[in-house]
Amino acid sequence: MKKKVAFICVHNSCRSQIAEALGRHLAADIFESYSAGTETKPQINRDAVRLMKKLYGIDMEQTQYSKKFADIPTPDFAISMGCNVGCPYIGMKFDENWELEDPTGKSDEEFLLIIQKIHENIIKLAKRIEQEEIG
């Protein structure tokens, strides 16, 4: 049975949504990807949607929406996207904090750096989970 990984940030509109999309795109054979926040936004960040379509052909608006932690299955791994001020309280400890700056309102270059870091982190996470399953 595949592990469930939850990517968490406060608003579930940008970094965690990118991580969910990349998890599904790059590691669907290793783990199930979910994203959530302690609050929601009416829509996913427009720049994130635009750049994910351009880079990966993923239309996050068709496959994802902003949701709270209580709306997803209990994860095996909970990953914070970055707790700059304080981590959102989700009723369990975070397994990792990826310490990613929120690129909202910043340049495409800032977004691309964050997307690249999330991509790299997804690959590393998939390898660790796969090794745990084998080992």
Side-chain angles (χ1 to χ4, degrees):
M1 192 158 148
K2 284 193 254 182
K3 300 285 186 194
K4 294 175 179 64
V5 177
F7 302 101
I8 312 296
C9 60
V10 175
H11 295 114
N12 188 224
S13 65
C14 189
R15 294 166 293 170
S16 57
Q17 291 284 355
I18 292 167
E20 177 182 353
L22 286 178
R24 290 178 179 195
H25 183 70
L26 301 169
D29 55 331
I30 311 285
F31 60 82
E32 295 176 20
S33 295
Y34 300 91
S35 68
T38 52
E39 302 171 21
T40 59
K41 290 274 187 178
Q43 65 184 23
I44 299 172
N45 180 289
R46 308 304 309 147
D47 291 318
V49 169
R50 177 177 53 82
L51 290 169
M52 289 296 288
K53 273 185 196 173
K54 180 179 176 183
L55 294 170
Y56 297 94
I58 297 170
D59 187 349
M60 294 192 301
E61 290 179 307
Q62 297 299 314
T63 58
Q64 295 167 223
Y65 61 95
S66 186
K67 55 212 161 294
K68 291 186 177 178
F69 187 72
D71 299 330
I72 65 171
T74 301
D76 298 297
F77 297 95
I79 298 174
S80 166
M81 294 289 94
C83 303
N84 300 348
V85 178
C87 280
Y89 178 73
I90 59 169
M92 66 184 287
K93 74 172 189 65
F94 285 102
D95 296 288
E96 293 182 16
N97 177 1
W98 285 359
E99 299 181 14
L100 300 169
E101 293 289 324
D102 185 355
T104 299
K106 297 182 180 170
S107 68
D108 279 5
E109 290 74 26
E110 292 288 325
F111 261 93
L112 294 172
L113 286 172
I114 294 300
I115 291 169
Q116 182 59 39
K117 286 179 184 175
I118 292 171
H119 182 122
E120 292 166 6
N121 286 345
I122 294 285
I123 298 296
K124 289 176 191 170
L125 179 64
K127 286 179 181 171
R128 283 199 312 275
I129 290 173
E130 192 173 41
Q131 288 171 348
E132 283 180 17
E133 296 286 315
I134 294 168

